Amino acid sequence: MLAQQNGEPGGEVAREHEVLMLVAQAHSNTEIAKRLGIGDETVKTHVSRILARLGLRDHRTQAVMYAASHRLVAPLPAPPAGTERLGRRGGRGGR
């Protein structure tokens, strides 16, 4: 779990935890901003702080792996047999 650092308000850590949970659920920065009622830039700041606090490089994927390995989020259900997951944009591979 994210730990509070010296002189840091407790609410910031709680918000970062919320952001981490939403990142781990594959929400985009824009989706997170809308859901939490904050700006896109604020989400980016939170994500950067989360990565720094956890000692991760600048990849959201590492934050997702951290959240999953520490059981902070439930695993995604397996797709039904005979189907495959499509990327966000509807094409194969997601890009």
Side-chain angles (χ1 to χ4, degrees):
M1 190 130 162
L2 298 173
Q4 185 173 341
Q5 296 177 348
N6 239 357
E8 206 169 32
E12 285 299 308
V13 173
R15 180 57 68 140
E16 288 173 10
H17 188 264
E18 277 184 291
V19 171
L20 176 59
M21 296 304 94
L22 294 170
V23 166
Q25 294 169 8
H27 292 283
S28 70
N29 287 352
T30 301
E31 291 168 341
I32 294 169
K34 286 179 183 175
R35 187 165 183 160
L36 299 179
I38 59 178
D40 284 0
E41 290 300 316
T42 303
V43 174
K44 289 178 189 177
T45 299
H46 284 309
V47 170
S48 294
R49 287 182 181 165
I50 290 165
L51 295 172
R53 186 184 308 278
L54 298 176
L56 303 174
R57 295 192 178 163
D58 59 342
H59 299 285
R60 291 168 67 101
T61 303
Q62 289 184 314
V64 171
M65 290 171 46
Y66 174 89
S69 69
H70 288 80
R71 298 179 185 211
L72 299 175
V73 292
L76 294 174
T83 64
E84 56 184 280
R85 288 199 176 145
L86 298 178
R88 289 187 156 209
R89 297 192 180 144
R92 294 174 192 246
R95 292 203 184 247

